[in-house]
Amino acid sequence: MPRPIEALIHIPALAHNLARARACAPDAKVWAVVKANAYGHGIANAFEGLRAADGFALLDLDEAKVLRELGWRGPILLLEGCFEMRDLELCSRLKLWHAVHCEQQIDWLAMHKTHEPHRVFLKLNSGMNRLGFTPSAFRAAWNRLNALPQVDEISLMTHFSDADSERLGADGIAHQLEAFEAVAADLPGERSLSNSAAILRHSARVRSDWVRAGIMSYGGIPDFPEHDQAFWDLRPAMTLRSKLIATQQLQPGDTVGYGSSFTADKAMRIGIVACGYADGYPRHAGSGTPVLVDGRRTATVGRVSMDMLAVDLDGQPEAGFGSEVTLWGQGPRGSVLPIDEVARAAGTIGYELMCAPTRRVPVTALHQD
Ligand SMILES: *Cc1c(COP(=O)(O)O)cnc(C)c1O
């Protein structure tokens, strides 16, 4: 028998979540963001669940190739644009649209020989200070692109750093929105601003011709714990599950796992789960991290080790060898353990956990609920 751990990808949940993005931004076209192997869900699975999107946005040229091989003929956007001049040939050949965020990328375009002018998304650094032209350099970049025969249509994009919170005053996006509107006001072209958090929280104020739905497509909550899956009506698209492969009866004073970080203060039974950090489960998840056993909520005890972790079976006398354990996602009988709750207990975010399952975890797509 193979080791019982596996990841399940729920195709109907992907479709549902995409429909939620559309409902939030009904006037916009939707990029399904499928970078990082579709946030760990697999490009082919994401393609199946998200094919109602208007386009797919990603970073890796190899992933773009896979999408074309899967038969997608619609728009594909390279969110970071080209990494070297040669990439432009692939853009021409596969008809990829690409971000332009720096002068170097314009230089390459100017030297590129193509019969098919490119659609580009000129990126403004509106305050996040990762990629993009500063407001003072933006118009000159637009003029340069506009003069190139290699360029067909220029769209405008920027990215919010704080759309998920109100840290930066009014609503986290006001200063970036202002910066964008100031430079983009009298430029033609389609606009792409919103990520998931902005789609969910700010669609009434942000005019986006194209929204970029990443984490919400997978059922992750960008503004957890302020809001949860029920509030935004999103469904987990990934389940990580395994089984109990042993149980132990502890007496008061007994400890669990490496470093003896957990000490029983009473007699208790624990289960040992075939899942550890080498499967992508976060080692930083300390005792008390939520977990489902047979669909019922309990908590981890002790340190996560490479291949195993322990769970409290108190109150679950019927649980034992072979019981199903849901590390995150959808459990038996309609139970759900939001990935964001596990992430929070581990001091990280759902995004990171989704990308974490390792190669030794087999992935199965489920085509029905
Ligand atoms: C990853 C990414 C997104 C998607 O962000 P989510 O928070 O996952 O919705 C949108 N835009 C850009 C430029 C990105 O890199």
Side-chain angles (χ1 to χ4, degrees):
M1 195 182 99
R3 207 163 151 262
I5 190 159
E6 62 177 337
L8 306 176
I9 306 302
H10 307 282
I11 304 296
L14 291 167
H16 168 86
N17 296 335
L18 180 73
R20 289 286 301 129
R22 277 208 192 287
C24 291
D27 299 329
K29 288 170 277 189
V30 180
W31 290 114
V33 181
V34 295
K35 64 191 181 192
N37 196 29
Y39 291 47
H41 294 65
I43 292 283
N45 295 330
F47 178 59
E48 185 183 346
L50 302 172
R51 65 195 315 158
D54 298 289
F56 290 91
L58 40 67
L59 313 175
D60 264 307
L61 282 89
D62 285 344
E63 291 182 343
K65 253 192 237 164
V66 171
L67 275 176
R68 288 292 184 233
E69 282 159 15
L70 288 167
W72 177 251
R73 290 165 178 228
I76 295 179
L77 175 63
L78 298 176
L79 289 165
E80 294 181 348
C82 295
F83 301 101
E84 55 178 339
M85 179 151 173
R86 282 202 309 195
D87 296 345
L88 286 170
E89 287 162 28
L90 203 68
C91 290
S92 294
R93 190 145 53 81
L94 298 181
K95 292 200 192 338
L96 308 180
W97 302 359
H98 47 102
V100 170
H101 66 77
C102 64
E103 296 289 350
Q104 186 62 246
Q105 291 176 329
I106 305 181
D107 295 343
W108 294 336
L109 263 169
M111 292 183 286
H112 180 50
K113 293 186 176 51
T114 179
H115 300 296
E116 297 257 0
H118 288 198
R119 169 97 180 244
V120 297
F121 278 63
L122 182 61
K123 185 154 188 179
L124 173 72
N125 172 8
S126 56
M128 192 171 197
N129 288 310
R130 291 192 320 191
L131 301 182
F133 292 89
T134 59
S136 58
F138 193 77
R139 182 161 297 257
W142 190 91
N143 286 333
R144 257 192 97 191
L145 284 173
N146 194 42
L148 292 181
Q150 291 89 341
V151 172
D152 170 22
E153 206 177 319
I154 308 171
S155 303
L156 314 177
M157 75 184 286
T158 195
H159 192 48
F160 295 125
S161 58
D162 293 80
D164 58 339
S165 78
E166 310 201 334
R167 285 191 281 285
L168 296 177
D171 57 8
I173 62 167
H175 67 300
Q176 286 189 267
L177 201 52
E178 252 167 55
F180 182 83
E181 276 162 4
V183 293
D186 58 343
L187 288 175
E190 291 193 322
R191 273 100 165 118
S192 179
L193 291 89
S194 296
N195 56 1
S196 296
I199 293 169
L200 293 168
R201 295 169 68 100
H202 305 299
S203 278
R205 317 187 28 215
V206 181
R207 197 204 120 207
S208 238
D209 298 291
W210 286 91
V211 296
R212 306 189 298 270
I215 195 75
M216 70 177 295
S217 306
Y218 307 99
I221 306 304
D223 60 355
F224 183 85
E226 184 184 343
H227 296 121
D228 60 13
Q229 294 189 333
F231 184 88
W232 292 125
D233 183 18
L234 296 170
R235 296 188 197 148
M238 177 191 285
T239 293
L240 183 66
R241 75 176 184 189
S242 186
K243 288 183 176 166
L244 294 186
I245 57 171
T247 59
Q248 300 292 341
Q249 180 64 47
L250 305 184
Q251 300 308 322
D254 285 350
T255 64
V256 178
Y258 287 115
S260 299
S261 71
F262 177 85
T263 305
D265 58 4
K266 57 182 190 322
M268 64 185 284
R269 208 163 64 98
I270 61 168
I272 306 301
V273 186
C275 175
Y277 60 79
D279 300 300
Y281 192 87
R283 185 176 171 279
H284 291 292
S287 292
T289 300
V291 58
L292 307 181
V293 175
D294 288 332
R296 290 179 56 188
R297 211 177 160 97
T298 178
T300 65
V301 292
R303 272 192 203 156
V304 174
S305 48
M306 185 182 284
D307 311 307
M308 285 176 266
L309 57 83
V311 295
D312 187 351
L313 294 182
D314 247 25
Q316 283 185 254
E318 68 294 350
F321 184 89
S323 288
E324 181 172 335
V325 178
T326 308
L327 286 317
W328 61 68
Q330 304 187 17
R333 297 180 305 281
S335 57
V336 172
L337 177 57
I339 195 168
D340 304 288
E341 287 190 39
V342 180
R344 190 167 166 78
T348 183
I349 51 177
Y351 294 76
E352 188 179 14
L353 295 194
M354 285 177 190
C355 298
T358 55
R359 272 198 327 184
R360 76 179 192 183
V361 179
V363 180
T364 305
L366 299 183
H367 305 276
Q368 258 138 45
D369 277 327

